[in-house]
Amino acid sequence: MTTTLENKEQDKAKKGDTKELDLNELKKSLAQEEAELERLKRLKRLKQQEEKTSEISPTEDQPMDDSKIETDKHERKNMSPQELRDARRYYWQQKQKEEERKKKPYNHFPSFFYAGFWFRLFAFIIDMILIWSINRLVVQTIFLLLRLPLNDNDFSAYSLSKLVVYLLYFVLLTKATNGQTVGKIIFGLRLISFKEEQLSWGTVLIRECFGRYILKTFPFIYLMVLFTQEKQHLADFFSDTAVVSENLIRASKLSLE
C-alpha cells in the first residue's frame, strides 16, 4: 500500500511540474510572438517612410522589371532597421559618386592626390626664377640693343614684353608637356583636367593665360588652395582643372598592376 501511495504522489508531482512547465513555455512563446509582431510593425513603418522619402528608381540604361522590384521589396521586409539605414546610406553615397562622375568624367582622384599649397608655391618660385632669367637675357638685351627705355610702368613696352614672356612660358610649356612646367617637373606635379583626358588649347589658354593674368594682378587668390577640397584656386575653377602629385598616381597604377 505504501508503495502505491508513493507512486501516486510522485505521479501527481510530475503532473504538477508539467503544468508549471507548460505555463512557462506558453508565456515565453507569447512574449516572443509579441516581440516579433512589434518588430514587424516597426519594419512596416520604416518601409513606408522609405518609400515616401527615398524610393529607389531604375536607371535609364537598365530599367528594373517587376520581378526585381518584388524581390527588392521582399528583401527589404526581411531587413532590420539598422540594415535599412545602412542600405539607404549606401544608396545615397553611390548616387553622389555617380553625379560626381558625370560632372568630372576624367582624372577623378582621392583628395590626398591633389598637390598642396607649399609644393605648388616652391614649383612656382622655380618657374619665376626661369622667367626672370629669360627676361634678363632676352627681353632686356633686345631693349638695350634697340636703345629702348627700360620703363617698368604697367603699360610700357618693356612691362608688356615681360608679361608676354610670363604668359607664353606657362601656356607653351603646359601644352607641350600636357600639364607641366619646369617647376612642376622638379616637384613631380601635373595639371589635369576633369573634363578632358588630354589638355586642350582652350583649357590651357583659360587657365594659363586668362587665369594667370588675374592671379598675377591679385596674388592673394592663390590662398584659395588652402581651403578647397581639391586644392583649386580661381583659375582652376574657371577651367575645371587641378594639380596632382604625379608620383602618387604612378604608385597607385603600379599597385593596381
Side-chain angles (χ1 to χ4, degrees):
M1 288 291 289
T2 56
T3 55
T4 54
L5 287 170
E6 287 176 0
N7 291 330
K8 286 180 180 180
E9 287 176 1
Q10 287 176 1
D11 292 338
K12 285 180 181 179
K14 286 180 182 178
K15 287 179 181 178
D17 291 340
T18 53
K19 285 181 181 178
E20 288 179 3
L21 287 171
D22 291 341
L23 286 172
N24 289 332
E25 288 177 359
L26 182 61
K27 286 178 182 177
K28 286 180 182 178
S29 63
L30 286 171
Q32 288 175 356
E33 286 180 3
E34 287 178 2
E36 185 66 22
L37 286 171
E38 188 64 28
R39 190 179 74 84
L40 289 171
K41 286 179 183 177
R42 284 200 304 270
L43 287 173
K44 189 175 181 181
R45 285 197 297 270
L46 286 167
K47 180 190 167 186
Q48 288 173 352
Q49 289 175 2
E50 183 190 4
E51 287 176 352
K52 286 179 182 178
T53 56
S54 61
E55 184 175 343
I56 299 174
S57 59
T59 59
E60 294 179 0
D61 297 333
Q62 296 178 346
M64 293 175 69
D65 55 2
D66 294 336
S67 61
K68 187 165 179 61
I69 292 170
E70 291 297 327
T71 306
D72 289 341
K73 285 182 178 179
H74 181 68
E75 286 177 356
R76 267 182 260 156
K77 280 181 183 179
N78 297 328
M79 283 182 177
S80 65
Q82 183 61 39
E83 287 174 339
L84 283 170
R85 284 193 292 271
D86 292 339
R88 283 199 294 271
R89 192 181 299 113
Y90 177 76
Y91 165 71
W92 286 113
Q93 286 173 353
Q94 292 302 315
K95 189 173 182 182
Q96 189 176 5
K97 286 180 182 177
E98 188 179 346
E99 287 175 357
E100 276 195 33
R101 284 192 205 101
K102 287 179 181 177
K103 290 179 183 176
K104 301 173 180 178
Y106 297 102
N107 299 316
H108 191 70
F109 301 108
S111 58
F112 62 88
F113 274 54
Y114 298 101
F117 175 79
W118 294 109
F119 279 107
R120 292 172 69 171
L121 177 62
F122 295 143
F124 181 71
I125 289 170
I126 289 172
D127 290 329
M128 289 304 297
I129 291 170
L130 288 171
I131 291 168
W132 177 84
S133 301
I134 293 168
N135 283 323
R136 290 279 294 180
L137 293 172
V138 179
V139 177
Q140 189 171 343
T141 303
I142 291 171
F143 270 72
L144 288 172
L145 289 172
L146 296 175
R147 296 182 180 181
L148 295 172
L150 301 176
N151 193 347
D152 285 330
N153 292 334
D154 290 339
F155 296 103
S156 66
Y158 183 62
S159 294
L160 290 173
S161 299
K162 290 196 295 184
L163 177 63
V164 169
V165 170
Y166 173 83
L167 296 176
L168 283 176
Y169 172 87
F170 285 106
V171 169
L172 296 178
L173 272 181
T174 301
K175 180 59 182 172
T177 60
N178 191 35
Q180 289 187 299
T181 58
V182 175
K184 287 187 176 73
I185 290 169
I186 291 171
F187 284 93
L189 308 179
R190 183 177 292 278
L191 179 71
I192 53 97
S193 173
F194 293 121
K195 293 188 176 179
E196 299 169 339
E197 195 170 2
Q198 299 285 330
L199 293 171
S200 65
W201 275 109
T203 300
V204 171
L205 288 172
I206 289 171
R207 189 188 189 275
E208 301 299 339
C209 187
F210 176 69
R212 287 281 177 188
Y213 178 75
I214 293 175
L215 291 169
K216 186 176 174 62
T217 309
F218 306 101
F220 62 87
I221 297 176
Y222 277 109
L223 295 175
M224 288 177 65
V225 173
L226 295 169
F227 307 104
T228 52
Q229 184 179 359
E230 289 158 345
K231 310 294 190 295
Q232 293 175 291
H233 52 57
L234 192 64
D236 290 318
F237 282 113
F238 282 149
S239 56
D240 289 315
T241 57
V243 177
V244 295
S245 173
E246 195 171 35
N247 295 328
L248 285 177
I249 294 171
R250 286 175 181 170
S252 67
K253 287 179 180 177
L254 289 172
S255 64
L256 288 172
E257 290 175 0

